[in-house]
Amino acid sequence: MAHKWYIVHTYSGFENRVKTSLEERIKQYGLEDRFSEIVVPTEKVVEVVKGQRRTSSRKVYPGYILVKMDLDKETWHLVQDTPKVTGFVGGQNNPTPLPDSEAERILHQMEERSLHPRPKHDFEKGDKVIVTEGPFANFTGVVDEVRPDKGKVRVLVSIFGRATPVELEVGHIQKAS
């Protein structure tokens, strides 16, 4: 039987620990032939902190991992009984496999984002923001232009009742609620 992808729900923040525990349990029970892959979907993100570009990893789907396996009673129990696993997505006792096309899309997206990291903070033209650092701290404004390659945005800040364009680092603003 061909292995299929399943989505497993975990405690948020414990995805990597669940992956490691599951891999150890598979070896311990000698079921390596019934599992082929365990993936924690992540993406690389870039942020500018104090003028320095920093790349870090961020989970795409916090609280979920993908497991490619041959599902039967024994493998279901092995996954289900792993610490910090809350269950399968798509039916507790008889979960629905993830379509191969969807799994491939997620894996391709991960690969693409590792080659081309995204900005940690996604701002778009027209977003209302608050300046958090620098000479314009506590000013509110509207994003006029986003330059992710430089980690900067141009914000129209109201100074003396007049909209004034100010170039700021992405890390110096946050979305206004």
Side-chain angles (χ1 to χ4, degrees):
M1 188 173 169
H3 294 188
K4 296 198 177 296
W5 285 102
Y6 293 90
I7 303 171
V8 176
H9 189 258
T10 69
Y11 288 12
S12 192
F14 289 90
E15 300 86 355
N16 290 322
R17 192 174 302 171
V18 167
K19 178 183 177 189
T20 304
S21 296
L22 197 49
E23 289 168 343
E24 289 169 0
R25 289 170 55 85
I26 291 166
K27 280 187 187 142
Q28 180 183 353
Y29 288 94
L31 298 174
E32 293 95 331
D33 59 325
R34 311 230 319 259
F35 290 84
S36 48
E37 230 177 313
I38 302 170
V39 176
V40 178
T42 57
E43 66 181 349
K44 294 228 182 299
V45 290
V46 175
E47 63 182 322
V48 179
V49 180
K50 297 181 183 170
Q52 300 292 318
R53 286 173 60 97
R54 221 182 260 169
T55 304
S56 59
S57 211
R58 167 171 75 183
K59 290 175 184 72
V60 180
Y61 305 110
Y64 297 94
I65 64 171
L66 301 177
V67 180
K68 192 171 189 179
M69 60 187 275
D70 177 12
L71 185 71
D72 60 26
K73 203 171 193 175
E74 191 176 12
T75 57
W76 182 90
H77 278 290
L78 182 95
V79 173
Q80 192 69 31
D81 296 341
T82 301
K84 310 288 186 217
V85 167
T86 58
F88 285 89
V89 172
Q92 281 301 324
N93 296 329
N94 193 12
T96 310
L98 188 65
D100 286 340
S101 60
E102 185 66 15
E104 291 304 317
R105 186 189 66 76
I106 291 169
L107 296 172
H108 178 73
Q109 192 177 43
M110 282 175 55
E111 190 177 306
E112 190 68 29
R113 289 181 180 170
S114 71
L115 298 173
H116 307 287
R118 296 171 21 146
K120 186 167 186 175
H121 306 285
D122 289 329
F123 294 104
E124 294 177 8
K125 185 174 178 161
D127 284 349
K128 290 185 185 330
V129 295
I130 299 172
V131 181
T132 57
E133 290 184 39
F136 299 101
N138 300 321
F139 278 66
T140 58
V142 177
V143 175
D144 184 45
E145 182 185 2
V146 180
R147 300 207 328 236
D149 53 322
K150 297 200 186 301
K152 297 191 181 261
V153 290
R154 185 167 65 205
V155 177
L156 297 176
V157 178
S158 179
I159 302 174
F160 303 120
R162 191 170 241 177
T164 307
V166 179
E167 188 170 271
L168 301 165
E169 291 186 17
V170 173
H172 292 182
I173 61 172
Q174 68 183 33
K175 288 190 178 181
S177 41

